[in-house]
Amino acid sequence: MKMIVALFAVMALAHAAPQNQADKDAIVTKYDSNNIGVDGYDFVYETSNGISQQEQGSLVNPGTENESIQVRGQYSYVGADGRTYTVIYVADENGFQPQGEHIPK
């Protein structure tokens, strides 16, 4: 579980790092967050430079020895080539599972 949280933190930092002047001047244009407590959470944000992310986390198998958090979401960003890249992911007992047109299968 701690590894999943650490992975998401590193991903967020990597994608949030300014790449050019437009990124340095970017502002958050949308942000919604709902912390449901131990049952889960969800959030969504968008920035003026084309970065966005939405994610939902929920408790699965509560009260059992297989209790865990399942996370589903997606994030998008504009690459240096001007194309928008989107990654859809699931993180659960099987690890982080990203999918995107630009990700090798």
Side-chain angles (χ1 to χ4, degrees):
M1 179 61 186
K2 290 180 183 178
M3 188 165 187
I4 290 173
V5 171
L7 176 63
F8 284 117
V10 170
M11 277 183 12
L13 287 174
H15 288 290
Q19 303 296 317
N20 59 40
Q21 189 62 38
D23 289 337
K24 291 179 186 177
D25 296 333
I27 59 170
V28 175
T29 58
K30 177 181 182 179
Y31 176 78
D32 290 311
S33 176
N34 185 19
N35 185 347
I36 308 166
V38 296
D39 293 327
Y41 67 91
D42 60 72
F43 68 84
V44 60
Y45 68 84
E46 295 176 1
T47 63
S48 60
N49 62 344
I51 296 173
S52 65
Q53 183 176 5
Q54 60 183 2
E55 181 175 292
Q56 306 83 38
S58 60
L59 187 63
V60 293
N61 302 314
T64 71
E65 66 180 46
N66 295 325
E67 180 176 282
S68 63
I69 294 181
Q70 181 181 67
V71 176
R72 295 182 177 277
Q74 72 176 45
Y75 62 89
S76 298
Y77 62 95
V78 179
D81 58 3
R83 292 180 51 206
T84 299
Y85 294 90
T86 299
V87 176
I88 299 170
Y89 59 87
V90 173
D92 57 16
E93 67 276 359
N94 298 314
F96 181 67
Q97 305 153 54
Q99 296 180 5
E101 290 182 19
H102 62 290
I103 298 175
K105 297 188 190 269

